[in-house]
Amino acid sequence: MIKYLLQLADNALILGHRLGEWCGHAPEMELDIALTNIALDLTGQARSLYQRVAELEGLGKDEDDYAYLRDAWEFRNALLVEQPNGDFAHTLFRQFVFDAYNYHLHQALTHSKDEWLAGFAAKSLKEITYHLRFSSEWMLRLGDGTELSNAKLKAAIEDLWGYSGELATPNDVEKELAQQGIIPDLNLLKPAIEAKMSEVFVAANVGVAAGMFMHIGGKDGRHSEHLGFILSEMQFLQRAYPGLEW
Amino acid sequence: MTSLNFEAIFQSKIDDEVKIEPKDWMPDAYRKTLIRQISQHAHSEIVGMLPEGNWITRAPSLRRKLILLAKVQDEAGHGLYLYSAAETLGADRDDLVQQLLTGKAKYSSIFNYPTLNWADIGAIGWLVDGAAITNQVMLTRTSYGPYARAMVRICKEESFHQRQGYELMMAMAFGSPEQKSMAQDALNRWWWPALMMFGPHDAESTHSDQALKWKIKRKSNDELRQNFVDVTVPQAEYLGLTVPDPDLCWNEERGRYDFGKINWDEFWNVVKGNGPCNRQRIQARTKAYEDGAWVREAAMAHAEKKEQRRMQPEAASKAA
Amino acid sequence: MKKEWPLWEIFIRSKSGLNHKHVGSLHAADAEMAIENARDLYTRRNEGVSIWVVESKHITASDPDDSDPLFEPARDKVYRHPTFYTVPDEVSHM
């Protein structure tokens, strides 16, 4: 259970971190505010999840110990969320893939046998529903907009598609929890996620080549090179001046 | 009615504290002054996102990260409220942004200073936002309605900015010796630039008299600066930090603090573009603007196509 | 060719039972985006339960120069206000 909660928390933390990198640099000022809002939602979710992990572990750790004092191999986020922002099409497509998965996941998690998790999911679902609406609409804007934006979106899909499969491919932790009825069977969620994605793809006039290789490993701590750099920036103060209150 | 009459009616409204609204007659110079001042203020909010935005990815706790994200986001929001007020005067936001990027428009010089350690985030909230609030509270009563209303909203939101800054400074000043020296270092670097934020001395301020007469401004630069020093010095003392001004002392007779001479050469130098970060700030905004062009165009093109499809559903379905 | 996002006027209902009130403007490419931007810009602190957006160019405002003929005539119609009428103190609930 703890491993799974860390998976959820790390996804939210790392994606929120990436979105925070946009702050002050977005394509339009209104988008600065929108992206920051999503970053705030995700970072807030990560915080609740780490607090829950601390409670379950009972080792006297706090939320920041998990975010700031673990090394890359202990992080359990999917590879997708640590991918660099790239241009706005990359950021947006990464967000859309994550939101489509996250929305269906949290919808199912509201029925979890674990009361805390069900409550957390119900609360987060409201935020995630909005995220999916935002990213779906922007998929259409970029896909349907101009020739240039369509080409950029296609390039982003090409670059990131290989990281889109991991989210809904169950690892051992997820298989076990699914059997216990604590989380949904991801294989059963897949059709709904794929339906949403293809609906948006068609409307956005983009597609993907069939049979592209799908990378996995992030959820079990095997990451891309990017995560180490994220952590060295994020954890700098906590590492340089250990044990202080900020 | 002659324009002299218009002007007399306008001034009597101002004198009677009647707000001027967008479609009311106003002297050209009043309109121009307002557009200049409001857009400078908006630019300052937007450029002001950069020095603090710097530290979002390095914030040392999740709580601090959320606070900082929310604060920098507020600054974008405040920029937008202000551009919105400027647009009621007939200005076009894109033109105003162009003026910023080409260096034609100014913004608050304070944001041309770098954020070098984490305590700078506290110092900005405490001192820079503190100085800004001193100014902004006055502007909630400014004579132009949309500007005054934007300022009311901004002031409400800004009060959290200053408090979170001071709270951060407390954590640092009462923390480890390293943290305390970060706090002192931040105060050393931000104190004087914060005092400069109120602008030149009244005697040398070119726009002041007219702005006071039109009640765009309601207090002079020196008056506001003195108010700021008076409230801030005891706050620094509480933190156990030293204000970097050897001439600073309490004047019993005036009931106010006397303080040292401001280095106006430095001030004008930064205004002219030679601050530590002038170039980087404008380059960062220009990059965001240019890199974002295709995104803004795509959204516009999609909106137009959508509208066309709505107007001519048959033609669209035939074409498809 | 300059084509920036058009300007929209934003109206927010702060809670059920109150009117929508003008709060300011923002830029957006279309109505959906205007609503989302308004949500993010004008309701960050729980200020609203409903949003209206109108593209600014569709708003027609009265001319301040017409304010005398428009609004002055209503000023002396005092009989429209309840205070115009005297009712003895003994008569209550009126």
Side-chain angles (χ1 to χ4, degrees):
Chain A
M1 185 68 181
I2 284 167
K3 282 181 181 170
Y4 184 69
L5 293 179
L6 284 174
Q7 232 173 270
L8 293 179
D10 293 345
N11 275 338
L13 177 74
I14 300 299
L15 188 56
H17 183 91
R18 282 295 194 208
L19 292 173
E21 292 173 6
W22 272 105
C23 196
H25 308 276
E28 182 55 290
M29 291 172 269
E30 279 85 355
L31 272 172
D32 260 313
I33 298 182
L35 294 174
T36 309
N37 247 0
I38 300 176
L40 281 167
D41 287 344
L42 291 171
T43 311
Q45 289 169 16
R47 210 177 160 199
S48 306
L49 288 159
Y50 289 133
Q51 284 167 1
R52 177 65 180 163
V53 170
E55 202 181 311
L56 291 177
E57 274 195 333
L59 299 173
K61 290 192 192 174
D62 68 18
E63 57 191 53
D64 291 330
D65 291 327
Y66 298 99
Y68 291 93
L69 298 177
R70 284 179 303 149
D71 208 337
W73 63 83
E74 297 167 280
F75 270 75
R76 314 191 74 88
N77 60 281
L79 297 169
L80 177 77
V81 299
E82 68 200 41
Q83 298 309 305
N85 285 342
D87 64 8
F88 185 69
H90 284 76
T91 293
L92 196 267
F93 180 65
R94 184 185 66 198
Q95 192 64 38
F96 172 66
V97 172
F98 184 74
D99 293 343
Y101 153 80
N102 216 26
Y103 171 77
H104 289 98
L105 174 69
H106 280 74
Q107 216 178 28
L109 284 177
T110 56
H111 307 299
S112 170
K113 274 187 192 162
D114 184 286
E115 212 175 299
W116 186 91
L117 190 55
F120 168 82
K123 183 171 178 287
S124 304
L125 187 61
K126 291 179 193 150
E127 295 171 343
I128 297 165
T129 304
Y130 185 81
H131 302 170
L132 179 60
R133 169 177 161 172
F134 173 86
S135 58
S136 303
E137 279 180 13
W138 270 100
M139 284 287 290
L140 291 195
R141 291 194 181 102
L142 297 189
D144 179 54
T146 62
E147 264 178 53
L148 176 65
S149 67
N150 183 273
K152 282 185 183 273
L153 182 57
K154 281 181 179 147
I157 295 173
E158 172 89 21
D159 284 345
L160 292 171
W161 186 249
Y163 301 105
S164 68
E166 183 187 5
L167 290 164
T169 305
N171 65 1
D172 291 344
V173 173
E174 288 165 322
K175 280 179 197 156
E176 201 189 312
L177 288 177
Q179 270 175 4
Q180 297 169 21
I182 291 173
I183 70 166
D185 180 347
L186 292 182
N187 289 314
L188 297 179
L189 281 189
K190 255 186 196 167
I193 299 171
E194 281 166 6
K196 173 70 190 174
M197 303 231 311
S198 63
E199 171 204 320
V200 171
F201 273 39
V202 169
N205 193 22
V206 291
V208 285
M212 256 177 87
F213 182 78
M214 288 293 174
H215 298 275
I216 56 167
K219 294 200 286 196
D220 296 312
R222 294 188 309 280
H223 290 278
S224 61
E225 290 177 341
H226 305 297
L227 185 64
F229 290 100
I230 292 179
L231 297 185
S232 60
E233 193 172 336
M234 184 168 84
Q235 299 179 339
F236 147 68
L237 280 166
Q238 288 267 4
R239 299 287 194 182
Y241 305 96
L244 303 181
E245 292 292 324
W246 299 91
Chain B
M1 254 193 311
T2 64
S3 81
L4 202 68
N5 278 336
F6 278 123
E7 196 136 2
I9 294 170
F10 171 82
Q11 188 62 48
S12 74
K13 268 177 150 176
I14 301 252
D15 294 341
D16 295 345
E17 301 287 328
V18 175
K19 295 280 184 244
I20 306 299
E21 293 296 340
K23 295 192 87 183
D24 294 345
W25 186 91
M26 60 187 87
D28 264 357
Y30 177 83
R31 183 185 300 274
K32 277 189 192 138
T33 304
L34 273 173
I35 291 176
R36 195 194 65 237
Q37 184 177 327
I38 299 173
S39 63
Q40 276 183 13
H41 193 164
H43 299 330
S44 303
E45 297 280 357
I46 298 300
V47 176
M49 296 170 74
L50 298 170
E52 287 175 282
N54 252 337
W55 280 88
I56 288 174
T57 53
R58 287 176 289 172
S61 73
L62 294 177
R63 178 172 173 271
R64 290 288 175 206
K65 189 168 176 157
L66 286 171
I67 294 170
L68 185 55
L69 275 167
K71 176 171 191 266
V72 180
Q73 184 192 43
D74 270 352
E75 274 147 26
H78 297 171
L80 292 184
Y81 301 155
L82 289 160
Y83 284 125
S84 157
E87 285 185 292
T88 63
L89 290 158
D92 173 80
R93 186 170 99 186
D94 195 51
D95 293 340
L96 299 175
V97 170
Q98 292 301 332
Q99 289 171 11
L100 169 70
L101 300 182
T102 53
K104 220 183 122 199
K106 299 284 180 224
Y107 55 91
S108 181
S109 279
I110 193 86
F111 301 115
N112 291 316
Y113 290 88
T115 46
L116 302 178
N117 84 57
W118 172 249
D120 287 28
I121 299 306
I124 289 181
W126 171 39
L127 299 173
V128 176
D129 293 325
I133 289 169
T134 311
N135 210 4
Q136 286 166 349
V137 166
M138 163 192 83
L139 289 172
T140 59
R141 298 189 301 125
T142 190
S143 58
Y144 185 59
Y147 191 22
R149 292 191 286 275
M151 291 317 304
V152 168
R153 221 185 157 90
I154 289 173
C155 282
K156 259 194 224 159
E157 300 187 355
E158 286 269 345
S159 57
F160 122 68
H161 294 187
Q162 194 189 12
R163 290 174 78 109
Q164 67 82 32
Y166 195 71
E167 190 213 59
L168 196 160
M169 288 307 274
M170 289 202 309
M172 302 295 279
F174 303 142
S176 75
E178 293 114 321
Q179 284 174 313
K180 184 164 186 185
S181 53
M182 287 183 215
Q184 183 63 55
D185 175 53
L187 175 58
N188 291 348
R189 284 180 288 106
W190 290 97
W191 174 257
W192 289 107
L195 294 194
M196 293 176 200
M197 281 176 72
F198 296 96
H201 285 310
D202 297 340
E204 284 127 48
S205 179
T206 41
H207 304 297
S208 267
D209 282 354
Q210 188 63 65
L212 285 169
K213 185 176 169 226
W214 280 337
K215 295 188 184 168
I216 294 176
K217 268 180 88 146
R218 313 200 53 139
K219 286 179 180 168
S220 76
N221 294 352
D222 285 327
E223 209 179 333
L224 290 166
R225 185 164 22 236
Q226 180 73 55
N227 290 348
F228 174 74
V229 172
D230 290 344
V231 301
T232 309
V233 171
Q235 294 166 356
E237 281 167 0
Y238 179 82
L239 293 173
L241 300 177
T242 311
V243 174
D245 177 359
D247 298 326
L248 184 80
C249 66
W250 178 251
N251 184 324
E252 195 64 54
E253 207 174 305
R254 289 203 304 139
R256 320 202 78 167
Y257 282 95
D258 289 337
F259 53 97
K261 266 176 68 106
I262 291 171
N263 181 350
W264 292 111
D265 289 344
E266 175 184 326
F267 174 78
W268 289 114
N269 205 24
V270 180
V271 170
K272 283 182 189 124
N274 299 320
C277 302
N278 293 57
R279 254 165 229 281
Q280 291 90 320
R281 300 291 184 243
I282 290 303
Q283 278 166 359
R285 287 310 308 160
T286 305
K287 185 173 188 310
Y289 184 82
E290 286 174 357
D291 290 355
W294 70 270
V295 178
R296 299 191 300 273
E297 279 159 23
M300 222 34 242
H302 169 68
E304 279 161 12
K305 285 185 193 173
K306 202 164 56 171
E307 184 65 11
Q308 267 170 20
R309 285 192 288 254
R310 199 175 64 85
M311 301 300 279
Q312 304 162 301
E314 299 117 54
S317 64
K318 262 181 222 159
Chain C
M1 184 194 69
K2 203 178 82 173
K3 228 181 214 170
E4 294 302 319
W5 296 348
L7 192 65
W8 299 73
E9 299 301 323
I10 311 302
F11 301 81
I12 305 271
R13 186 202 293 288
S14 57
K15 60 179 186 192
S16 294
L18 296 180
N19 288 324
H20 285 77
K21 198 173 141 197
H22 183 246
V23 291
S25 63
L26 49 74
H27 288 259
D30 52 40
E32 288 78 21
M33 197 200 285
I35 290 209
E36 284 158 23
N37 290 350
R39 174 246 195 200
D40 288 346
L41 183 60
Y42 290 107
T43 68
R44 286 202 301 294
R45 287 175 171 79
N46 234 344
E47 295 104 326
V49 294
S50 164
I51 300 173
W52 287 350
V53 300
V54 184
E55 211 180 322
S56 307
K57 68 177 183 197
H58 296 311
I59 290 192
T60 310
S62 64
D63 186 338
D65 289 346
D66 290 342
S67 65
D68 282 356
L70 281 176
F71 308 117
E72 202 56 45
R75 208 167 276 178
D76 63 354
K77 311 284 193 291
V78 282
Y79 41 80
R80 285 194 175 117
H81 299 279
T83 46
F84 180 69
Y85 305 93
T86 328
V87 176
D89 289 346
E90 301 84 63
V91 183
S92 52
H93 300 295
M94 195 174 280

